[in-house]
Amino acid sequence: MKEFFKMVFASAIGVLVAGVFLMIISFSILIGTIASIGKTTEYVPKENGVFKLSVSGIVSETVQENPFAALTGRNVVELSLHDILRSIEAAKENENIRGIYLEAGTLSAGPAHIDAIRKALIDFKRSGKFVVAYGGTFTQGSYYLCSVADKIYLNPQGLLLITGLSSETVFYKGLFDKLGVEMNVFKVGTHKGFPEKYTRKDLSPENREQIVSYQQGIWGNITGNIAESRGITTAIINQFADEGYAFATPEKAVELGLIDELKYKTDVDQYVMELAGQTGKKLQTAGLDKMKTIRQRKSVSPNKVAVLYAEGEIRPEDMSIYTSEQVISEKLVRELVKLKEDDEVKAVVLRVNSPGGSAYILDQIWHEVMELKQVKPIVVSMGAVAASGGYYISCAANKIIAEPNTLTGSIGIFGLFPNATGLLDKIGISSDVVKTNRFGDFGDISRPMRDDEKKLLQNYIERGYDTFLSRCAEGRGKTKEEIDLVAQGRVWTGEQALQNGLVDELGGLDTAITWAATLADLDSYAVSYVNTSRDILQELLDKRFTGLKASIIKDALGKEYEMIYSIQNGEYLTGILSMLPFNVSPL
């Protein structure tokens, strides 16, 4: 008995000590994080400086720094497109920076995001400064970005992984059949393929058609841009991909003109030192973390053009504890109201990067865009994806600017309602309903939907589609019939969308800012940025480590996270939605 009490006492002490220890660590991190906020020190480049940009990680429009990321053990690097573009501009303007050194790795980014960085690098080269790229392995995305460099070097034992584009859709119908779950689908749009993953085991002809179309358009742009930068033909790039030369000896890449020379990193470092005019034994560089702190010359003006970021799926922000991803929620509505009421803000640029989502929330955003438009001009700048609901919140703007490789359109709507009768029968669960009216149990998943219920819901979906067409027709100055011809859930590239009148011009964020200032008749103006990213510290206090738990879960599941999250997301996907019909894979 004595030994028993000893063990209990020791265990209690151990738990108490561990608890106190964890509390101290958590408190220390929290205090350190709070203390660090607002204390960013500006970096002052030394003479003959070099901006070393690591082309590796996941690129988003903006990145919310998570002070607790270290606790999750995740090694994924998240890159902010805004920070990258701002740093390249700062490097161009700073007389002490002689060039940019691109170090390639595994890059996960949409083609439109890469296009934006490539254009910034091309503009940087016009200043007479150098751009040099090196990689032990070039993925397709990192090579596409680095192809603008004056010189591209590959490790003698490295890989150039140019293989072409591909798209994979995961279907759950087989799983649902085994579970005894039937998904009732209600939609408008022959190309609205999102529900197919729940009702088919392969792509419909219409869905396959649009994927082939946008892939060919994007691949044509990518190969064309690489060919122009490298002074070769697109046929050479396609030959490299079709012959599987990605796995040939690296000399093949040099032979075909895709790579300048095979060199080890130390040799390339020495070459960059000579270009920059540095003396010493080691190349001195500054990374993105330093370069983004350089203050840039800003216009001194009481007039502002505000850039408001709208990134992620459109859904309630606290929808699930299983995701820490950025979302577009009712918070965007509140930000639009603030900008409308801010007298210093003369025009707004809405930067949209979204595949769509909740029809209810996106209509609230659309309404506020219309309200703001009555007071001051608003221009939409489309990122990698601005489709379905992403297009819905864009269509009311005075002008829409897209990148050539932006995915947009997908004007359609659908609803999903499960019938779990088979599953409930298998596990021995039954139910009985008492109701006062015929549709009192509408949406009950424990029984098949009745025909009159299906008719009601289909009519509701069709009214939603008609509303979508009306919104687009009003915003684009067209008839509903004209919009319907290019709608039907069809996905278009930005280039294709320009041809069919869904966007006004091809260009990046700078183009949209210039248009916003022009529409507001501004000769001089300052640009301010409004980020709607999640506040990690506030979430810590409000949601009890929600973001931390999500990061740990995501890290543990790895590549399977997206699939499991899609299944878990079923509750959110029940209802009326306007979503891109597939997940977009980065380069």
Side-chain angles (χ1 to χ4, degrees):
M1 184 64 70
K2 186 184 296 185
E3 292 300 316
F4 171 77
F5 282 114
K6 279 185 179 180
M7 291 176 62
V8 172
F9 183 76
S11 299
I13 292 296
V15 171
L16 180 61
V17 171
V20 172
F21 181 70
L22 287 174
M23 286 178 63
I24 292 173
I25 291 177
S26 300
F27 185 75
S28 299
I29 293 174
L30 182 59
I31 294 299
T33 302
I34 294 173
S36 67
I37 293 176
K39 289 189 176 181
T40 302
T41 303
E42 181 186 2
Y43 171 67
V44 179
K46 296 179 181 179
E47 189 177 357
N48 298 330
V50 174
F51 172 22
K52 188 174 184 179
L53 178 58
S54 178
V55 186
S56 179
I58 300 172
V59 178
S60 302
E61 291 287 336
T62 59
V63 172
Q64 174 66 55
E65 293 186 8
N66 186 347
F68 305 100
L71 297 178
T72 69
R74 296 185 69 204
N75 295 316
V76 177
V77 177
E78 295 182 291
L79 301 173
S80 162
L81 178 65
H82 172 76
D83 286 345
I84 292 172
L85 299 181
R86 184 181 183 280
S87 297
I88 293 173
E89 179 69 18
K92 184 184 77 169
E93 294 177 354
N94 194 291
E95 60 183 15
N96 287 334
I97 297 294
R98 299 292 301 277
I100 294 178
Y101 185 9
L102 303 172
E103 187 171 33
T106 301
L107 184 69
S108 179
H113 282 163
I114 296 177
D115 285 336
I117 300 172
R118 289 182 89 256
K119 284 189 284 188
L121 289 170
I122 291 171
D123 180 63
F124 175 85
K125 288 170 61 177
R126 294 193 186 104
S127 67
K129 300 181 179 183
F130 68 82
V131 177
V132 172
Y134 170 81
T137 297
F138 283 97
T139 61
Q140 198 154 254
S142 63
Y143 179 78
Y144 179 41
L145 192 156
C146 292
S147 62
V148 301
D150 302 303
K151 293 287 183 180
I152 306 178
Y153 298 104
L154 176 66
N155 186 280
Q157 300 301 319
L159 293 171
L160 174 56
L161 298 175
I162 295 179
T163 56
L165 301 182
S166 68
S167 174
E168 181 181 17
T169 303
V170 177
F171 297 91
Y172 306 120
K173 186 179 187 305
L175 171 63
F176 283 5
D177 288 345
K178 290 182 179 180
L179 293 175
V181 176
E182 174 195 16
M183 190 66 79
N184 295 293
V185 174
F186 305 87
K187 70 169 187 172
V188 180
T190 55
H191 289 80
K192 200 66 180 175
F194 189 97
E196 289 181 1
K197 60 179 66 179
Y198 302 102
T199 60
R200 295 178 60 98
K201 295 183 179 180
D202 59 359
L203 296 171
S204 67
E206 295 81 6
N207 202 358
R208 184 177 297 277
E209 175 192 13
Q210 69 178 343
I211 293 174
V212 168
S213 176
Y214 90 72
Q215 275 190 351
Q216 289 179 342
I218 292 175
W219 183 242
N221 288 334
I222 289 173
T223 55
N225 290 336
I226 292 174
E228 182 179 357
S229 296
R230 296 298 301 167
I232 58 177
T233 65
T234 58
I236 289 176
I237 302 166
N238 283 306
Q239 177 191 2
F240 190 92
D242 290 335
E243 297 294 334
Y245 287 150
F247 305 99
T249 59
E251 283 79 9
K252 196 67 181 179
V254 177
E255 177 188 328
L256 294 177
L258 294 165
I259 297 293
D260 289 294
E261 290 184 62
L262 303 179
K263 284 182 177 291
Y264 287 99
K265 186 175 182 301
T266 51
D267 297 327
V268 179
D269 286 355
Q270 184 62 41
Y271 173 66
V272 173
M273 282 182 64
E274 294 171 2
L275 283 179
Q278 292 185 12
T279 58
K281 296 181 179 180
K282 186 178 180 180
L283 174 64
Q284 301 298 313
T285 63
L288 181 63
D289 58 334
K290 292 182 179 179
M291 292 297 299
K292 69 182 182 182
T293 68
I294 297 178
R295 290 179 188 164
Q296 293 176 271
R297 294 191 297 270
K298 293 184 178 181
S299 300
V300 179
S301 172
N303 301 320
K304 293 181 182 178
V305 174
V307 178
L308 176 62
Y309 286 91
E311 182 168 27
E313 290 183 12
I314 301 171
R315 64 175 184 237
E317 191 167 13
D318 58 350
M319 187 268 301
S320 169
I321 69 167
Y322 297 106
T323 177
S324 58
E325 308 299 327
Q326 293 192 57
V327 300
I328 300 172
S329 65
E330 292 93 336
K331 182 178 179 181
L332 186 65
V333 174
R334 297 191 293 271
E335 294 295 341
L336 287 166
V337 172
K338 289 179 184 178
L339 294 175
K340 179 181 67 176
E341 297 174 348
D342 190 335
D343 292 335
E344 291 186 354
V345 174
K346 306 302 182 183
V348 175
V349 173
L350 183 62
R351 176 69 172 183
V352 179
N353 190 45
S354 173
S358 165
Y360 171 77
I361 295 177
L362 63 90
D363 197 59
Q364 311 313 303
I365 297 170
W366 171 87
H367 173 74
E368 205 51 53
V369 170
M370 287 293 292
E371 290 292 302
L372 187 148
K373 185 180 176 182
Q374 306 307 312
V375 178
K376 58 194 70 172
I378 178 169
V379 176
V380 162
S381 170
M382 292 182 167
V385 180
S388 200
Y391 189 81
Y392 194 113
I393 65 176
S394 302
C395 65
N398 296 91
K399 280 195 176 293
I400 301 176
I401 312 299
E403 295 279 6
N405 290 330
T406 295
L407 290 181
T408 188
S410 192
I411 300 169
I413 193 169
F414 67 92
L416 300 171
F417 276 86
N419 167 24
T421 305
L423 174 60
L424 297 176
D425 287 343
K426 287 181 181 181
I427 59 179
I429 294 178
S430 61
S431 64
D432 200 353
V433 176
V434 177
K435 58 183 180 180
T436 60
N437 297 87
R438 180 172 181 77
F439 296 104
D441 61 339
F442 186 90
D444 183 358
I445 67 171
S446 66
R447 63 170 176 80
M449 293 187 76
R450 301 191 308 266
D451 288 342
D452 59 344
E453 291 175 317
K454 292 180 179 179
K455 184 177 180 180
L456 282 176
L457 192 51
Q458 184 60 39
N459 288 340
Y460 179 54
I461 295 295
E462 290 176 2
R463 288 200 306 275
Y465 180 66
D466 186 71
T467 299
F468 201 163
L469 292 180
S470 298
R471 302 281 194 250
C472 294
E474 181 181 359
R476 302 305 299 161
K478 296 177 179 291
T479 65
K480 287 197 296 185
E481 291 73 23
E482 288 174 321
I483 295 294
D484 189 42
L485 291 174
V486 295
Q488 293 293 321
R490 177 70 182 264
V491 178
W492 307 98
T493 65
E495 205 168 44
Q496 295 167 337
L498 177 64
Q499 295 171 358
N500 59 38
L502 292 179
V503 305
D504 295 293
E505 190 173 323
L506 298 180
L509 183 58
D510 287 345
T511 303
I513 292 172
T514 300
W515 264 115
T518 300
L519 292 173
D521 295 322
L522 300 178
D523 294 325
S524 63
Y525 57 90
V527 180
S528 63
Y529 296 90
V530 183
N531 190 350
T532 56
S533 295
R534 309 170 78 172
D535 187 330
I536 299 297
L537 285 177
Q538 190 60 47
E539 288 191 2
L540 170 66
L541 299 174
D542 293 346
K543 301 182 182 179
R544 301 177 184 178
F545 287 96
T546 292
L548 181 59
K549 288 188 291 184
S551 296
I552 294 172
I553 291 170
K554 188 171 184 178
D555 183 59
L557 294 177
K559 293 182 178 180
E560 284 69 38
Y561 170 81
E562 295 297 337
M563 182 185 300
I564 294 174
Y565 170 63
S566 295
I567 297 173
Q568 183 272 335
N569 219 11
E571 180 180 358
Y572 157 63
L573 290 176
T574 300
I576 312 306
L577 299 159
S578 184
M579 289 276 291
L580 197 65
F582 40 76
N583 293 326
V584 180
S585 298
L587 282 178

